[in-house]
Amino acid sequence: MFAAPWVCRSCSRLAARPLRSSQLLRRASTAPISNAVLLPPALLQRAQKLAAEHASLQKSLATDFDSKTAKRAGELGSVAAALKDYQDAKASLSELDALLSSPDAELRDLARDDVPPTTAQLRSAARRLSAALTPKHPFAEMPCLIEFRPGPGGLESRFFTDSLFRMYQAYCARKGYRCKVVKYETSDASGGASGYAGESPLQEAVLEIEDPGSYDVFRGEAGIHRVQRVPSTEKSGRTHTSAAALWVLPSLAETGAGAEQEADFSDPESDFYVDVAEVKSEVMRARGAGGQHVNKTESAIRLTHVPTGISVSMQDHRSQHRNREAAWKVLRSRLAQKRREEREEMARSLRSSVLAKNQVTRGDKIRTYNYQQDRCTDHRSGVDVHNLPDVLAGGEMFDRVIESVREYLVQNEIEAVIADEQLASEQAEGKGKK
Amino acid sequence: MPRLPPSLIWKAHSISPLAATLLPVCRNIASALAELRWIREHVQSTSRSPSGSQADDVRLRRLCRERGKGVPLQYVLGTQPFGDLEIKCRPGVLIPRPEPEAYTTHLSRLLVSGHFIPRHQPLRVLDFCTGTGCIALLLYSSLCSSSPRLAVTGVDISPLAVSLSKANLKHNVALGLVPSPSPSQSVTFRQSDIFSPHWSSPVSAGGHCDVIISNPPYISPRGFATDCSRSVRNYEPKLAQVPRPRPDSGVAQEDVFYARLLDIGAAVKPRVMLFEVGGMEQAVRVVAMVGRKLGTEEWEVEVWRDWPDARPAEEEGTTVLVDGVGEVLVRGSGHGRSVLVYRM
């Protein structure tokens, strides 16, 4: 009769009875519904503050227009809208709560039917609100440059850096990002050796990803990437550990909004501003008279930003002019990143020490590629994927790693915002007491 | 030229035999490897057969051997980047150098910003001794967006140069690097000898000219024998570097073009003139000539170094004293490379 050998009595009784939706629903009366999806109070406080600012900005915009104010108001608009949705949903839920305890049976039923959609609404509003509150990285909308540099570990780390470079190139090709090799410099000291799958000994490379917003996609990739494998040059089969460093820098879009961009790096307030007088440029000078007398093909150029000591050399292109422009671009990006990092460092030192531990800085290793175990591990998100060849080909496995890191970063930033708010409110209280 | 140490040749050979082929002309490994990469990229990008085929290898080796013998890389590859443009190069026409690229870019930036001439005014540019047409084309492409009415004319004595410059216009329009000429914005090239007694300025028929720019031959016969590199002497046209002697001009042989160009300038009265020169000494001679021929009441003079927008090095002065003219401003860093004459 039954396929199963034995069914307990209460279950079989349940199966015999016609199913009613109310049985599966958790009753509203058993727990206050709205609690399930409440946001932390610190986050809500911040939202309310921003919404208030938005309202006052709107008021001032009505009387006199200012493009800066309008921009700020636009940024806050999403927070204000999400907060309003959230508050509406919460209000209607608490109304429903009240109705559920009303003596009228019909009213109770009606209210009960309304609970699930309203809860869903509240949940989505909460998600949108926390997303809107997550501080958008100031460079998030920008294209980016990825710099690849071998770490200590000699030839082996250079070979691996080349693998990483190809991995990102393949990933961009698969994802349809437009990317351009700005610099690709191999060292000539390899002595004819070559790494896994024809890797060349990479000295330094810069990959530019031209899509706006790519900075946000790739910024989690910056840090030390570690490799564990038996190098192709190793005779006795020992596993070596070496590393490559990746820097992700924001870059300025070349095309579109040309005038605006131009203003961007000629504005001393901008992160990208570089005072031309502070940059020393060295070129391969032809000996002798130069000009028509010689026809040198050496087009290398080095720019040094004197106050910070940052220097960029470029020799990829046949035209010195283009090398110079590429070098300026990388120099601007490096300076902008440096300035940004200094500011973040300051903000971080104000935060609680608990959170500071979570922060990953440039010097920390973030990921391990282990060839023998066919594994790639991200040390921040803790994600572990296998099928290393697919990862190194920029395939779907690599997607999973990148996605996990992005989620991790967003989570971290929300926590940082909450910590900031708590700190601010504690300070405010402290002041109030005094 | 000093001999290459065998150890260097051996080292280059161990990296790549082709690098060793290029070493005699490149003189160091880094530059040999860079050139090898460019030649390889060229072979790959122009290859008709599937990559890595035998034919490509043969071609790569042939081009490297050619280059190793001293043929300029630009003749081997057939092109040279100039600003954003790609300029075709052929034997018989001087190869574009980085210095003209630098001063042309700097001048076009000044013109675009309206430094000399208010923006959006009709602009007429004359480029004498245009060669490949690189300066005319670069000025045309960078001024197109700011000057709705623009006419650029390149003039050269060599029919080879004129046909190459026309080919370069077509080539860059096809690549989309230069907007295609229209009735209101044009770039043209013509063959004529500015020393011929029947020479008439291309603008004499219809009005004014705003900018005269020129990279004329400016090397003395002695300089050609002592200062020019071997590859330049053997493979590039002497016509584009050493002016023919003109005893009636009253100036040194290497300066005859400046005398003629300044005469043209005095007649046409442009707003801006820019002439490439072979060094600071020649720059000083040209500035003095400006003082004699045009006078300094109406005209201002500056000397630009190789990189006019760069920060000058410590030992580089920012002024130079010229007899009959006085202190003259010197901009940028490098050798004295060009003389700017303008009136506000």
Side-chain angles (χ1 to χ4, degrees):
Chain A
M1 200 174 104
F2 287 119
W6 180 84
V7 176
C8 83
R9 196 189 295 166
S10 57
C11 288
S12 56
R13 224 183 305 152
L14 201 68
R17 265 202 306 194
L19 199 71
R20 271 185 305 179
S21 64
S22 59
Q23 278 178 330
L24 299 176
L25 237 184
R26 182 167 179 188
R27 293 301 178 111
S29 52
T30 58
I33 327 155
S34 42
N35 271 355
V37 282
L38 271 190
L39 286 171
L43 212 59
L44 268 182
Q45 257 175 29
R46 183 176 160 79
Q48 274 152 3
K49 220 159 68 188
L50 291 180
E53 190 186 340
H54 180 246
S56 73
L57 284 181
Q58 286 289 12
K59 216 176 280 166
S60 78
L61 274 180
T63 51
D64 61 326
F65 187 83
D66 170 50
S67 68
K68 230 175 195 171
T69 320
K71 201 173 158 214
R72 176 78 181 147
E75 282 165 5
L76 294 182
S78 64
V79 177
L83 181 66
K84 193 169 175 300
D85 285 355
Y86 178 79
Q87 280 169 339
D88 286 353
K90 213 170 115 182
S92 53
L93 252 192
S94 57
E95 239 170 68
L96 285 178
D97 249 351
L99 285 183
L100 280 175
S101 51
S102 85
D104 189 347
E106 203 177 325
L107 212 58
R108 268 206 312 268
D109 274 351
L110 274 176
R112 202 170 293 137
D113 288 346
D114 268 353
V115 167
T118 319
T119 321
Q121 238 174 47
L122 183 62
R123 200 163 284 144
S124 88
R127 205 180 317 120
R128 256 183 301 138
L129 184 57
S130 62
L133 277 179
T134 315
K136 224 186 207 158
H137 199 282
F139 298 151
E141 298 293 315
M142 291 188 172
C144 69
L145 300 176
I146 309 183
E147 285 199 69
F148 300 80
R149 292 205 173 166
L155 207 50
E156 161 63 5
S157 73
R158 290 188 182 165
F159 283 136
F160 175 65
T161 313
D162 194 35
S163 266
L164 277 184
F165 179 76
R166 291 184 196 181
M167 174 172 90
Y168 284 99
Q169 242 182 339
Y171 179 74
C172 289
R174 193 171 67 81
K175 284 286 192 175
Y177 296 127
R178 280 173 296 130
C179 69
K180 194 167 84 184
V181 182
V182 177
K183 177 172 186 174
Y184 186 86
E185 200 181 317
T186 52
S187 73
D188 50 320
S190 75
S194 90
Y196 280 82
E199 294 166 340
S200 28
L202 194 63
Q203 188 114 43
E204 192 183 336
V206 180
L207 189 69
E208 179 181 11
I209 296 152
E210 291 168 329
D211 295 72
S214 56
Y215 181 80
D216 202 35
V217 178
F218 289 99
R219 73 192 162 103
E221 301 301 299
I224 306 289
H225 294 238
R226 186 172 68 162
V227 63
Q228 291 171 326
R229 65 179 183 186
V230 182
S232 57
T233 47
E234 167 68 46
K235 303 255 167 15
S236 44
R238 282 171 300 195
T239 302
H240 288 210
T241 297
S242 44
L246 243 70
W247 297 355
V248 179
L249 312 173
S251 86
L252 287 172
E254 259 171 49
T255 48
E260 204 179 300
Q261 291 288 352
E262 200 70 41
D264 206 0
F265 60 74
S266 54
D267 169 20
E269 293 290 300
S270 155
D271 275 341
F272 287 88
Y273 175 75
V274 181
D275 189 353
V276 182
E278 289 178 346
V279 176
K280 193 171 77 181
S281 87
E282 294 158 84
V283 285
M284 278 292 170
R285 276 230 180 102
R287 280 190 307 275
Q292 291 175 1
H293 297 87
V294 290
N295 176 23
K296 278 267 179 205
T297 59
E298 276 170 353
S299 52
I301 180 159
R302 183 163 70 218
L303 298 180
T304 310
H305 186 242
V306 179
T308 57
I310 293 177
S311 92
V312 182
S313 65
M314 199 61 74
Q315 59 181 43
D316 270 42
H317 206 271
R318 277 167 63 204
S319 151
Q320 200 166 60
H321 177 75
R322 265 178 232 180
N323 281 337
R324 177 188 298 266
E325 283 186 354
W328 268 103
K329 187 182 189 105
V330 174
L331 183 67
R332 270 200 197 98
S333 297
R334 277 198 196 160
L335 267 173
Q337 179 77 2
K338 189 181 156 72
R339 287 171 184 157
R340 178 77 211 153
E341 270 173 17
E342 280 168 2
R343 239 177 295 145
E344 271 170 9
E345 191 56 49
M346 267 175 58
R348 203 175 295 149
S349 64
L350 295 175
R351 262 177 224 149
S352 64
S353 56
V354 186
L355 212 76
K357 265 193 282 181
N358 284 338
Q359 296 289 342
V360 175
T361 54
R362 176 183 273 185
D364 295 329
K365 66 167 183 285
I366 57 160
R367 202 173 288 162
T368 298
Y369 303 79
N370 189 313
Y371 278 57
Q372 265 61 44
Q373 296 169 14
D374 190 30
R375 159 179 75 84
C376 173
T377 306
D378 194 278
H379 301 297
R380 297 161 299 177
S381 62
V383 156
D384 225 345
V385 298
H386 289 270
N387 194 358
L388 192 61
D390 187 52
V391 172
L392 290 174
E396 264 150 41
M397 286 296 158
F398 187 52
D399 255 350
R400 272 179 49 193
V401 180
I402 282 200
E403 281 310 311
S404 75
V405 172
R406 289 185 70 184
E407 268 166 35
Y408 163 84
L409 283 179
V410 168
Q411 194 57 42
N412 233 358
E413 270 154 21
I414 293 181
E415 275 170 28
V417 168
I418 295 171
D420 276 351
E421 282 308 311
Q422 273 167 351
L423 195 70
S425 61
E426 272 167 27
Q427 275 171 351
E429 268 172 37
K431 256 184 210 159
K433 270 175 202 163
K434 272 173 205 167
Chain B
M1 219 170 345
R3 247 177 53 144
L4 289 169
S7 61
L8 193 68
I9 301 175
W10 185 240
K11 196 172 166 208
H13 197 275
S14 75
I15 298 168
S16 156
L18 290 175
T21 318
L22 294 173
L23 203 57
V25 66
C26 295
R27 311 304 296 175
N28 63 56
I29 288 184
S31 134
L33 287 180
E35 289 203 4
L36 178 57
R37 197 180 75 233
W38 294 327
I39 297 176
R40 188 171 278 145
E41 281 169 4
H42 170 75
V43 169
Q44 277 162 5
S45 66
T46 55
S47 163
R48 272 183 230 108
S49 48
S51 67
S53 75
Q54 196 77 36
D56 281 357
D57 278 357
V58 171
R59 186 152 160 254
L60 176 65
R61 273 203 295 278
R62 184 171 55 79
L63 294 184
C64 285
R65 263 202 309 278
E66 218 173 288
R67 172 67 183 138
K69 272 188 275 176
V71 180
L73 182 71
Q74 293 86 346
Y75 289 157
V76 173
L77 303 182
T79 59
Q80 166 69 17
F82 192 81
D84 298 327
L85 313 180
E86 187 181 277
I87 299 293
K88 289 181 167 202
C89 300
R90 283 183 208 150
V93 184
L94 193 80
I95 294 163
R97 306 288 204 264
E99 293 91 350
E101 194 179 7
Y103 64 70
T104 308
T105 311
H106 192 64
L107 178 70
S108 70
R109 251 183 234 145
L110 290 178
L111 287 172
V112 166
S113 69
H115 185 69
F116 301 115
I117 301 157
R119 285 174 62 120
H120 305 299
Q121 272 197 6
L123 202 59
R124 187 137 178 55
V125 181
L126 273 176
D127 173 22
F128 290 107
C129 312
T130 190
T132 54
C134 54
I135 294 177
L137 288 171
L138 187 57
L139 276 181
Y140 173 72
S141 84
S142 44
L143 294 176
C144 256
S145 57
S146 67
S147 305
R149 287 173 65 203
L150 174 69
V152 181
T153 307
V155 178
D156 205 291
I157 189 174
S158 150
L160 217 56
V162 173
S163 74
L164 180 60
S165 55
K166 284 179 179 160
N168 268 325
L169 171 62
K170 218 178 272 172
H171 180 64
N172 281 289
V173 168
L175 288 176
L177 300 172
V178 163
S180 102
S182 62
S184 55
Q185 295 185 321
S186 68
V187 54
T188 48
F189 296 98
R190 43 180 278 188
Q191 193 250 325
S192 80
D193 175 8
I194 57 169
F195 286 101
S196 124
H198 316 294
W199 189 81
S200 64
S201 147
V203 293
S204 60
H208 74 301
C209 163
D210 305 287
V211 180
I212 290 182
I213 187 166
S214 179
N215 178 9
Y218 55 66
I219 299 176
S220 63
R222 197 186 145 68
F224 187 72
T226 56
D227 296 343
C228 278
S229 71
R230 186 188 302 190
S231 152
V232 172
R233 256 180 297 147
N234 291 349
Y235 293 94
E236 292 194 70
K238 194 174 173 183
L239 173 73
Q241 302 183 59
V242 185
R244 286 191 201 127
R246 295 190 190 272
D248 53 330
S249 67
V251 292
Q253 187 179 341
E254 61 270 28
D255 296 343
V256 295
F257 267 88
Y258 303 112
R260 177 72 185 131
L261 287 168
L262 287 174
D263 285 343
I264 294 174
V268 176
K269 291 220 170 242
R271 305 295 285 270
V272 187
M273 289 188 272
L274 184 68
F275 307 128
E276 177 167 336
V277 294
M280 197 48 97
E281 288 166 21
Q282 193 164 31
V284 167
R285 289 202 300 274
V286 173
V287 171
M289 210 187 289
V290 171
R292 285 200 305 277
K293 282 186 184 284
L294 299 176
T296 45
E297 294 84 44
E298 195 186 355
W299 298 86
E300 310 262 350
V301 193
E302 279 177 20
V303 175
W304 288 358
R305 293 182 186 273
D306 285 336
W307 286 274
D309 48 356
R311 196 169 81 144
E314 275 92 21
E315 70 279 5
E316 287 170 344
T318 52
T319 56
V320 62
L321 196 64
V322 181
D323 283 344
V325 178
E327 292 256 302
V328 170
L329 190 66
V330 180
R331 283 185 199 276
S333 153
H335 296 294
R337 188 50 60 208
S338 51
V339 173
L340 175 78
V341 187
Y342 64 98
R343 56 195 179 100
M344 294 311 274

